[in-house]
Amino acid sequence: MTSAQVDTRNDDGSEATGVATDEGYQRGLGARQIQMIAIGGAIGTGLFLGAGKAITKAGPSLILAYAVAGLVIFFIMRALGELLMYRPVSGSFSEYAREFLGPFFGFVTGWTYWLFWVVTGITEVTAAAKYMQYWWSDIPQWVSALVFTVILFGANLISVKLFGELEFWFSMIKVTAILGMILIGLGVITIGFSDAGDTASFTHLWDDGGFFPKGIDGTLMTLQIVMFAFLAVELVGVTAGESVNPKKTLPKAINTVPWRIAVFYLGALIIILSVVSWTEFAPDTSPFVAAFQKIGLPAGAGIVNFVVLTAALSSCNSGMYSTGRMLRDLALNGQGPQIFTRLTKNGLPLFGTSVSAALMMVGVWINYEWPSKAFDYVVSFATISGMWAWIMILFSQLRYRAKANRGELPRSTFRAPGAPYTSIFALCFIGMVIVLMGFDEDARVSLYAAPIWAVLLTIGYFVIKNRNPQAFARKDYSMAAANADWGDSESPVVAQKSAPATTGSAGSAGTADGAAAKESDEPAPGDGDTTRDKD
């Protein structure tokens, strides 16, 4: 990071990189902005557009798929919350992977999460271009994608505080719209007004072929689309380094996950599938727009289309925000071009954001070449790369919890309930989703692309390590929690006393669970800590 680093050496005499505490960002994101970023991050293309295809594949049982996947997402977010309350950093997932799994996994996670947001940005501008055709069908899809990419890049050349404000209002529009749709749908079902009043009924959930009209297999095959809908909920972790009071705002934001899923996913789908039978939806049409058309409120359908358009643009805007931060984290650790470390006077990683926006232009070409398949292709690849971040969060939390239980690290004040069992369950569920993606023709594309990306990362790892071995040296994280920047003078973690320091092997990813040096009851004068992780 950007502050003076801890001067430590490995046991073999080689110099180890210390852990810095000051990332150079401005803490411009307040509590209400963090809350709405957390809420709005899970409401985007996956729900508004992707749900249409999922409904045709699974019928009403899609509700169950969202419920189970939502539970898994909550487990993932609580695991992330435990790590954030141990040490908040903007590098978040890659930094935790670097500490608990080894430098290689930090490198892979940082670059993969960056790629995820680049691909997600392509997905979102693709969806936005589709929404534009609701009003202007003559405008080529690729033209709209190009215009939106340029506009959103310009929006990211502002202060983080203004970014947070824009995201607040984007999310407010989405939340208000979904709540409004739920209330209108309830009115149609209970009072019976509008053209759909005579046919709307909760019985649509089981009368039109049953709750599982396509069988259990059909429900399972929607999990890739369902998991994509939840991607970006972890974005709140990236905001840790720019939150005004992370120890209060982040736990509150994470604890909103259950009711967010219950209202905005389960509640909305139950109402929509009750107003309109699942048999009447088309895979390439937003179910929200189709429901309003069925109700007979064409103006309402146009309003909903505007809302889902802003939702897609909001998600893409968040993507540009996170890609710049992730590239800077990699560069600060010597695992990326040093030009990405530079910040503007407003604390913005301009170069990283610019490169990411340029690569998002690939989405313009995809929309030009394959306008009908663009969304399916990018969704599948975004899903597999996004789930890697979740996997790293869970493995890092398991390693951290084990060390904290042994007294080697301070315990987090926001511990994940049911861990490690909930984290293991979430890992198994994600593994099942990846396997199921191999049976889906569109999703299978990502499984072909993932090994290519893995090979490129491995080559990049060895090239950079050969040129700069120090970038991949194990760091001394013994003082990381104590020196964490919380935006105030108080750290929420309390060091756990343990037996006198001992030595052991932290190793690499496969042995990172080995014993690290424990804290001494009598710290050495002047440094307050004698712990040290060794290779």
Side-chain angles (χ1 to χ4, degrees), residues 407-423:
E408 299 169 9
L409 291 175
R411 290 194 176 191
S412 172
T413 57
F414 191 58
R415 289 164 66 84
Y421 306 107
T422 51
S423 297

Side-chain angles (χ1 to χ4, degrees), residues 95-238:
E95 184 65 14
Y96 298 136
R98 196 174 290 123
E99 176 177 358
F100 296 108
L101 303 176
F104 173 76
F105 284 94
F107 173 80
V108 171
T109 301
W111 281 107
T112 300
Y113 194 67
W114 167 80
L115 178 68
F116 156 67
W117 270 115
V118 169
V119 176
T120 298
I122 295 173
T123 304
E124 300 297 357
V125 295
T126 297
K130 282 179 174 287
Y131 297 145
M132 287 296 292
Q133 294 188 329
Y134 177 85
W135 296 293
W136 299 287
S137 58
D138 294 336
I139 298 179
Q141 196 168 304
W142 70 270
V143 172
S144 297
L146 174 61
V147 172
F148 288 140
T149 303
V150 173
I151 291 175
L152 292 176
F153 171 66
N156 270 267
L157 302 183
I158 54 178
S159 68
V160 67
K161 184 175 182 179
L162 186 52
F163 160 80
E165 198 66 24
L166 289 173
E167 284 303 302
F168 173 84
W169 289 109
F170 272 141
S171 298
M172 184 65 75
I173 291 172
K174 293 185 284 186
V175 168
T176 303
I178 292 182
L179 292 176
M181 285 186 284
I182 291 175
L183 292 175
I184 292 173
L186 280 173
V188 172
I189 297 170
T190 57
I191 301 175
F193 70 86
S194 86
D195 296 342
D198 295 335
T199 58
S201 172
F202 288 114
T203 60
H204 283 314
L205 298 177
W206 57 82
D207 279 352
D208 302 324
F211 189 70
F212 293 94
K214 296 298 184 72
I216 299 295
D217 293 347
T219 307
L220 291 175
M221 293 306 294
T222 65
L223 287 178
Q224 177 246 333
I225 300 174
V226 170
M227 294 301 278
F228 172 78
F230 288 123
L231 292 175
V233 295
E234 76 289 334
L235 180 64
V236 68
V238 182

Side-chain angles (χ1 to χ4, degrees), residues 23-26 153 156-160 242 325 328 339-354:
E23 297 176 301
Y25 295 115
Q26 297 180 358
F153 171 66
N156 270 267
L157 302 183
I158 54 178
S159 68
V160 67
E242 295 172 274
R325 275 74 182 168
R328 185 167 185 263
I339 193 172
F340 293 146
T341 63
R342 299 180 184 177
L343 293 175
T344 67
K345 63 180 182 180
N346 292 327
L348 301 174
L350 175 62
F351 291 99
T353 303
S354 300

